[in-house]
Each structure stands twice: as structure tokens, then as C-alpha cells.
Amino acid sequence: MDREVFAELLSDEGQALLREVRGVEPAQELAVATRLRQRHEPALVSAALAQSRLRARAEAKFGPADAQALHFTPDGLEQATRTEVAGHRARRMRRLGVRSAVDLCCGIGADALALAREGIRVLAVDRSPLTCAVARANAAALGLAELVEVRCADVTEVDTGGWDALFADPARRTGRGRVFDPEGYSPPLSWAVRTARTAPLAALKVAPGIPHEAVPAEAEAEWVSCGGDVKEAVLWFGDGRTGTGGVRATLLPAGETLAGEGLPDPETGPVGRYLYEPDGAVVRAHLVAELAQRVAGRLIDPTIAYVTTDAVHPTPFATGYEITDALPFNVKKLRALLRERGVGVVTVKKRGSAVEPEELRRKLKLDSKAAPGSCTVFLTRIAGAPSMLLGHPLA
């Protein structure tokens, strides 16, 4: 889709067409397109059907109401920040007194919209004319056009002075796939860091897999998960930090935060009655020691992020399980044990094991109809030895 076709999509005819194709199933598209092309330009029909598909996919990130009001490009949707995550960051900026912000590499505008919804005036910048047109249309669609100025420019040439805060989301994907080297971002992370250091407050969105050694010493690194899935990491600079450097893990939608205290690695010990599986953000932030301290726990192996305890310690930062068995890894013994207990439904989790969950399920040959019981099986190491733990989630 080019800018001309997108402009037609924003017209009364285009918007009516979007409403008409909403909910069209993939199997129906050819017939619907053939019918609609008798009344509309083929390029416009194709754009409307493509937009309908993108809106359906966008509901997982933006919710049904916003997804059906906004406009997307394939890359823009892929790289856009999830609504809950963008909202969390915008609220944090508002609480820190931000009233104006520049959003560099704004994409389709997800973060700019979240900032504007908090009453923050935003300059949103991107170098793609089509992407800028989409971002501008999205601000208008949500009634936020007065707060969001969209500028098509090279972000490295934009004067960011005079704004309360800076947010940057360098592109981490090319035509060949994801970019894992921070210097391979567009623009590179080193440029984003230099720019962030000039702002009173700055936040840089980076991949959650960023190496800790790539985090500048003066930045606070925040790993964010939503619904149990790690979504991103953010580097906070200047007034955005809660301390001098440091790390934290934030869990959405509740907003619970675990901050680093510089604790040494937890002690290891025998498997207790309970096992805690840390949230992915806790693991990525290297805060397993802080979690272990909170639940009075220990590790089952010095290299495995499973924390075990002898008593229940409710925590939002990990999922708890009651362990019934801790055994050396043996497929035949596991199969016999599960059949003896009438277990036909198994959830397999692994850390530190080369065995793939699907491979194990095939070998177990369980029958959920004949044996409706359920169980969670952990494939891991205990004190260095391949092991398996059996248990059930805590209520």
C-alpha cells in the first residue's frame, strides 16, 4: 500500500469499505474482492481487505475497540508496543512530571498515542512517509490530533531540545528478520544512548534479550512482561531513573515491580515441597536472588532459575507449584508413574534440559480420554543431574 492508496482509504468511500469488509474470513476474501471490485478501484479493495486482516491481528495488542479504529501497516503492527506496555510507560512519565515528549522512530504511533492519552504533548518522528501518514491518521481516529504532531524526518537530524522527555524505539527488524546486535538497530543503540543523555528524562525501548553488559552504567534497565510474556526492556536515563543505574522487573497488567538490590547468588539445596517458576522479566533482569529472598527459598541447581521452598510464600513474581515427586530423568519410569495415577494430561516445562516437551509427550503415549487426571512435569537439573519434578499449580 502506498500513500496515495492509504489516502483513499481515509476517504468516506474507503472508510465505508472498511466497515463493509470487517470480519471477512480468509476463505471468503476472493469472492468478496471480486464483488467489491465491480464498484470500487481494485487497489482500494485490496487495501481495505489487507487492513481488515491487520485489524483482526491487532486486537491482541490494542483491544477490539482501538484495533478497529486504528490503521496499520504490517511492519508497523509487528513493531508496535502493546497498549498495556505503552500505557505503563506513559503513566510513569506523567507521574515524573512530563508534559511534553519527543517520540523518535514513532512507527504507527502506539507510544505517542499512549503519551497523549496521559495529557502529554508529543512530537512523533519517523522517516517513512507512509508510516507518518498512518500515525497521523491514528491520532485523529482517537481524537488526539491536537496533542500529537507527526513529522516525517530522519530522527538523527531532529532537535530534541526543549522537550521534557525523549522516547526512542530504534527499529530492530530488517527484511532478513530480527536484529539482535544493539549496534545493528536503526539507528544504532549507541546513537540513541548519546541522544538520551542530552534529555532531562529519556526512555529507550530495546529488545528484552539485550545483554546486561550493553546497558550503560548510568541507565536503569526495566524488563516488562505482560500476562506472563516478556515484551520489552526499557533503558531509563536522567530523571526517569529511580536510582543510580540498577535493574527492575515490572509485571503487567498489575504493575508490580521488583527492584534489584545487588544480592549475591542464592544458595542451593534440596527440592522442597514447593517450586517457584520466576516470571520471565525477573529472569531477564537477573533478579532471581531477590525473588528467592522474598519467598525464603533456595535454588535446586546453581545454574537453573527454579526456586524451591518448604512453605507457601505467595508472590506475584513467580508461579508456584506443589511438588509431589523429584526423580532422576527416566521416560519409562515417568510413563509408568503417570499411568498408575490416572494422568493423561501433562504440561511439560523445561529449564536446563535438552529434551523437547513435544518429544517427551510422544514418548509418554498418554490417553486423556482414558485418564483425565493432569500433572505438570518439569524437566531440569538438580545439583547438576538430569531430573524431573512432578507437581500441580498452587491455587
Side-chain angles (χ1 to χ4, degrees), residues 377-395:
V377 175
F378 296 88
L379 305 178
T380 187
R381 291 194 303 272
I382 300 175
S387 306
M388 53 190 187
L389 305 176
L390 280 66
H392 302 277
L394 293 173

Side-chain angles (χ1 to χ4, degrees), residues 302-316:
T303 64
I304 303 296
Y306 282 140
V307 177
T308 187
T309 68
D310 300 311
V312 173
H313 295 274
T315 175

Side-chain angles (χ1 to χ4, degrees), residues 79-152:
Q79 298 176 29
T81 305
R82 192 181 185 92
T83 291
E84 296 95 331
V85 179
H88 158 71
R89 183 165 42 247
R91 288 189 295 274
R92 181 171 173 175
M93 285 193 174
R94 176 179 53 77
R95 289 194 296 267
L96 290 167
V98 172
R99 293 294 175 265
S100 66
V102 56
D103 176 2
L104 302 180
C105 311
C106 69
I108 62 171
D111 287 282
L113 297 176
L115 290 165
R117 278 176 158 167
E118 293 298 321
I120 297 172
R121 183 169 56 87
V122 186
L123 170 63
V125 184
D126 201 280
R127 66 183 179 183
S128 164
L130 174 60
T131 299
C132 286
V134 173
R136 197 173 290 113
N138 286 341
L142 297 188
L144 299 169
E146 291 187 1
L147 284 171
V148 180
E149 175 192 347
V150 180
R151 184 182 302 173
C152 188

Side-chain angles (χ1 to χ4, degrees), residues 4-21 36-49 71:
E4 288 72 19
V5 174
F6 181 67
E8 292 179 24
L9 201 59
L10 296 179
S11 68
D12 290 343
E13 178 188 5
Q15 292 298 296
L17 192 55
L18 275 175
R19 291 190 292 271
E20 189 171 351
V21 300
L36 291 176
R37 283 169 180 162
Q38 297 174 7
R39 295 184 283 117
H40 306 279
E41 287 294 323
L44 182 59
V45 173
S46 296
L49 287 168
H71 301 83

Side-chain angles (χ1 to χ4, degrees), residues 180-256:
F180 297 98
D181 178 6
E183 285 307 292
Y185 294 176
S186 180
L189 180 61
S190 57
W191 172 87
V193 169
R194 288 195 302 272
T195 305
R197 285 170 173 157
T198 67
L201 182 159
L204 306 182
K205 178 180 171 181
V206 295
I210 185 172
H212 279 237
E213 56 269 23
V215 177
E218 78 273 27
E220 176 189 274
E222 178 187 28
W223 276 264
V224 181
S225 71
C226 186
D229 294 328
V230 183
K231 297 300 181 183
E232 66 177 48
V234 184
L235 307 184
W236 292 89
F237 293 80
D239 296 337
R241 299 170 301 166
T242 56
T244 303
V247 295
R248 66 177 51 242
T250 298
L251 280 54
L252 301 177
E256 300 277 0

